[in-house]
Amino acid sequence: MKKAVSLILTVVLILGMLSGCSNSSSDGKDSKTSSAGVTTESTGTKESEASVDTKEKEAPMLAEQVAAGTLSKLEDRIPSAEDVMVEPDVKSLGQYGGSITSTANDQGHWGWGPWTEESMFRFKQDGSGQVEANVCKDFSPNEDATVWTIELRKGMKWSDGEPFTADDIMFYYDHISTPALNPDRTAVAVDAEGYYPAYTSKPYNCYQVSKDGKSYWAKFDKVDDYKFTVTFAAPKPDFPVAVAVDNKWMFLPKHFYVKYVARKDGVSDDPTFPLITEEQAIAGANKDFGKEWTDYSTMGKDIGYYNWDYAIVPQLRSFIAVKDNWNTVGQTYELVRNPYFWKTDSEGRQLPYLDSIKFEIINDADQIVLKQTAGEIDVSTVEPNDFSVVTSATQTTHTPVQWVRPDWCSAPSLSLCQSVKDSDKRTLFQDIRFRQALSIAVDRNLMNSTLMNGQSKPAQASVPQGVNGFDGEWQTQWTEFDTDKANSLLDEITEPWNKAEGTYRKMKGTNKDLEIVISIQDPSVEGDYVALLQSAYKATGIKISDKVDANIAQSILVNDIEAKFETLSVTSPAVRPDAVVPMRNFNCWYGAYGKWYEDGKSTANGGIEPAGDMMELIKAYDTIKSATGPDREQVVEDNVNKIYQLHKKNQWVIGFLAPLPMNWIVNNNVKNFPSDIVYADEYRFASMIRPEQLYLSNQK
């Protein structure tokens, strides 16, 4: 099959190259060919504005429904004039109509979800890590950031036409997001009477603050239909950013979910929230969703957390599903424009411009490449190994667009557990000279050609170019290939080694071989990395072994790990710190130090109190968390830089190769697709496209 696919791709590539000789784009624009042989438009995205008819304020397909009496008038579907959101990220005024195609697998959830996601607060496109109002109209804190006031948009509606109000927020928070709480708003213990988990089964950190070693949940209060407050037991200056990362969809339609949520927490008689049991909630959900849930918690997580997977659920999204075939390979999953969408362009024209977005459900990577090279997919990401083939075959019809990944390096990167149980290894792993020796003992050019087909370049694990905090000096730190210097450094911190064949260095003061055991999950992928490091480190007397561990996350939790391949990826420590600060039991490189912080800075449950620069990371993060007042931005910036400098100094994770960009391939007829965007989980990946602003230039 692989040979057949390769043959087909070769034929397509040749045909694509032949057709490329005309060197003109499909929509008649002048074009030029880059050094990589890829056709790119020589004009910007503003060229079509003059030809756009701005008299019509809604899509023709919706205007027809209004004329037929099956849909209410536009002014009754969107917020009042002063509250409607004028989308500031629209690059050029677009035309209504048409559909674009992309691809997704049959796993749902995160595959297509971010394309249509609309969050309460959203990250700006500029990669600054700052958030702005989106679903909400405005937000503001009191002086010490213990109380946040959020204003909603008057007249905003769910996709079924029902009003969106503060009642939806209150219901979502009190009855879907929070577990059972004590009177002081600490969580009821799992083994205590009255305990129950959150309906979504996930405790959101963005609604909690720590005070005196305890974690307290915020209190939500409704002011009126379009305003509510969020009150914390301690300052929460990063609340909007925390929500944008952790629970950006902090709302669900109360009028819909009251049928599937069992009333708890002493709710008094409320005709808008009927009293039903868990069994009744499950029965109702099974009937309406066409499922066979038997467990209330499972049902709650499925429809409360992954709510966007179900077409039956009213949404605030730009495009909405009409049927649930996202999990069926071979089918096309279509999301159509939401007639009640609450954004317009600068001319007051309701977004989105497109009629729909279609996702072809494909799991096989080779099949995706075949469709890409044939030009059948309008917008999709391209894997690095396929980039040349796809762009060459589609150079007259599609344009490659690069986004920046916030990864500190490409795989592999070597993460040494700084809290490793073996005390001799802990001493060694914590020695900067040891990590420097490991870094310079590897021929990165060889690694690049062997593992990355020459697509990357030597680089240290560091903030990548294009992301705030990039440091060129840091990127090249300890990247020279120098086995002699590596051995010289190791001679200072280990027993003398005579370099006899088949022998290894002994750790200082012991008769134990200097061995690093790397835990891996997939030998078919990580085995090549292990083999290369075994060869490289043999010349320095270091033994490399691997250990297959199907549950590495659990091993990290109990501090039963020495090393693993670990790629740090973070837009900013102020936005999502857990990759670069030991604040939870999450990453191998800090191990049990994260457990100490997660447990309220306690060693009671296996955590280890950090010292030195590891503790300085925590102090910097705590300063970021607690910063309030007019100088907060400067305090945050200073301490983010401090965290980066500490990583630069210590290089706790050793990187070898620079991260590759996220490559998109975009049909030339698709307009307003942005470039140079940071592609990150924090920013919700494809949501940064702002798909509601995309349009097709070939619409009549």
Side-chain angles (χ1 to χ4, degrees), residues 110-385:
W110 313 115
W112 61 269
W115 278 80
T116 62
E117 192 170 271
E118 295 294 339
S119 52
M120 182 66 77
F121 318 107
R122 73 177 186 182
F123 284 99
K124 295 182 178 180
Q125 274 188 327
D126 60 9
S128 65
Q130 295 181 333
V131 298
E132 60 189 355
N134 189 48
V135 165
C136 67
K137 177 184 177 181
D138 198 9
F139 58 94
S140 59
N142 66 348
E143 189 172 351
D144 65 354
T146 55
V147 180
W148 286 84
T149 300
I150 293 94
E151 295 183 49
L152 303 178
R153 302 177 187 277
K154 295 179 182 178
M156 193 166 167
K157 292 179 172 62
W158 293 97
S159 57
D160 62 356
E162 290 294 319
F164 169 65
T165 70
D167 288 333
D168 297 309
I169 310 291
M170 302 300 297
F171 181 79
Y172 176 77
Y173 181 71
D174 288 335
H175 304 296
I176 291 181
S177 296
T178 59
L181 300 178
N182 293 308
D184 65 354
R185 302 198 69 79
T186 58
V188 172
V190 174
D191 56 353
E193 184 179 355
Y195 167 79
Y196 59 83
Y199 188 77
T200 60
S201 302
K202 177 180 172 63
Y204 296 108
N205 292 324
C206 59
Y207 303 126
Q208 301 177 65
V209 291
S210 295
K211 181 180 180 182
D212 301 327
K214 291 184 178 181
S215 185
Y216 295 86
W217 283 78
K219 187 175 185 297
F220 278 42
D221 291 291
K222 175 183 174 181
V223 177
D224 57 39
D225 282 349
Y226 299 103
K227 183 183 293 186
F228 65 97
T229 60
V230 183
T231 303
F232 293 93
K236 186 76 169 178
D238 64 340
F239 173 61
V241 171
V243 169
V245 171
D246 197 28
N247 188 218
K248 48 195 67 63
W249 46 83
M250 57 179 294
F251 40 77
L252 281 176
K254 177 181 178 180
H255 70 277
F256 180 83
Y257 275 89
V258 290
K259 298 176 287 185
Y260 316 114
V261 178
R263 248 175 44 186
K264 296 179 179 178
D265 215 17
V267 176
S268 59
D269 187 37
D270 178 359
T272 67
F273 186 7
L275 177 60
I276 60 174
T277 65
E278 291 186 2
E279 291 72 22
Q280 289 173 316
I282 294 172
N286 285 339
K287 176 178 178 294
D288 295 342
F289 285 80
K291 307 288 282 188
E292 296 182 357
W293 287 297
T294 58
D295 179 75
Y296 181 74
S297 293
T298 301
M299 180 270 288
K301 182 174 183 179
D302 279 357
I303 71 173
Y305 186 70
Y306 297 118
N307 63 85
W308 59 90
D309 277 346
Y310 301 99
I312 190 177
V313 179
Q315 299 287 348
L316 298 178
R317 293 169 176 252
S318 51
F319 297 88
I320 54 176
V322 292
K323 63 178 182 178
D324 299 337
N325 62 325
W326 52 265
N327 57 355
T328 307
V329 172
Q331 291 202 15
T332 298
Y333 180 54
E334 186 173 20
L335 302 172
V336 301
R337 67 155 49 86
N338 176 1
Y340 294 91
F341 195 55
W342 36 277
K343 294 183 184 180
T344 71
D345 62 19
S346 60
E347 296 296 315
R349 302 163 69 233
Q350 186 188 28
L351 298 173
Y353 293 131
L354 293 171
D355 291 338
S356 71
I357 301 176
K358 298 176 180 179
F359 293 90
E360 295 196 20
I361 309 304
I362 307 171
N363 285 351
D364 183 75
D366 290 333
Q367 187 180 356
I368 292 174
V369 175
L370 282 172
K371 285 183 172 291
Q372 288 174 325
T373 53
E376 296 176 10
I377 308 299
D378 293 313
V379 177
S380 60
T381 57
V382 184
E383 293 300 317
N385 289 340

Side-chain angles (χ1 to χ4, degrees), residues 496-507:
W497 179 51
N498 61 13
K499 300 185 180 180
E501 183 67 26
T503 66
Y504 297 97
R505 291 178 179 273
K506 304 293 184 182
M507 289 189 287

Side-chain angles (χ1 to χ4, degrees), residues 455-644:
Q455 297 178 87
S456 185
K457 66 178 182 179
Q460 188 54 264
S462 59
V463 177
Q465 192 165 6
V467 177
N468 290 337
F470 171 71
D471 178 342
E473 182 182 73
W474 185 8
Q475 187 184 54
T476 60
Q477 176 176 260
W478 302 350
T479 58
E480 72 275 15
F481 176 43
D482 193 337
T483 304
D484 290 339
K485 184 177 179 180
N487 274 313
S488 178
L489 288 167
L490 291 169
D491 287 343
E492 299 174 11
I493 54 179
T494 70
E495 292 297 309
W497 179 51
N498 61 13
K499 300 185 180 180
E501 183 67 26
T503 66
Y504 297 97
R505 291 178 179 273
K506 304 293 184 182
M507 289 189 287
K508 201 75 169 179
T510 77
N511 194 37
K512 296 188 296 185
D513 284 345
L514 201 175
E515 179 184 19
I516 302 174
V517 180
I518 303 175
S519 294
I520 63 175
Q521 288 181 293
D522 188 349
S524 67
V525 175
E526 297 167 288
D528 289 341
Y529 304 155
V530 171
L532 194 147
L533 292 185
Q534 284 174 331
S535 176
Y537 292 146
K538 184 178 179 180
T540 59
I542 299 173
K543 183 179 182 180
I544 298 294
S545 302
D546 65 311
K547 168 184 163 184
V548 177
D549 185 349
N551 197 354
I552 288 181
Q554 180 62 32
S555 298
I556 294 174
L557 285 174
V558 297
N559 200 34
D560 186 22
I561 192 168
E562 290 187 11
K564 72 182 290 286
F565 296 122
E566 191 164 70
T567 299
L568 304 186
S569 183
V570 58
T571 53
S572 168
V575 175
R576 175 170 278 174
D578 53 12
V580 294
V581 176
M583 44 100 46
R584 68 186 182 105
N585 210 357
F586 175 67
N587 272 0
C588 171
W589 70 269
Y590 55 66
Y593 296 133
K595 178 66 174 171
W596 173 83
Y597 190 93
E598 188 174 43
D599 287 345
K601 300 182 178 178
S602 168
T603 60
N605 298 311
I608 299 174
E609 183 174 359
D613 284 347
M614 192 72 71
M615 179 61 86
E616 290 302 310
L617 285 176
I618 288 173
K619 290 179 179 177
Y621 172 59
D622 283 346
T623 301
I624 291 172
K625 280 205 311 178
S626 61
T628 59
D631 62 343
R632 169 173 161 74
E633 286 190 17
Q634 187 61 52
V635 172
V636 170
E637 180 181 344
D638 291 346
N639 282 277
V640 164
N641 289 335
K642 180 179 179 180
I643 290 171
Y644 287 154

Side-chain angles (χ1 to χ4, degrees), residues 66-106:
V66 173
T70 58
L71 184 67
S72 57
K73 294 184 296 184
L74 177 62
E75 55 266 34
D76 295 328
R77 301 197 312 267
I78 61 176
S80 55
E82 64 272 16
D83 281 0
V84 73
M85 180 170 177
V86 179
E87 176 55 75
D89 289 339
V90 170
K91 296 159 71 67
S92 64
L93 297 176
Q95 305 175 47
Y96 284 123
S99 300
I100 63 171
T101 60
S102 188
T103 65
N105 61 31
D106 65 351

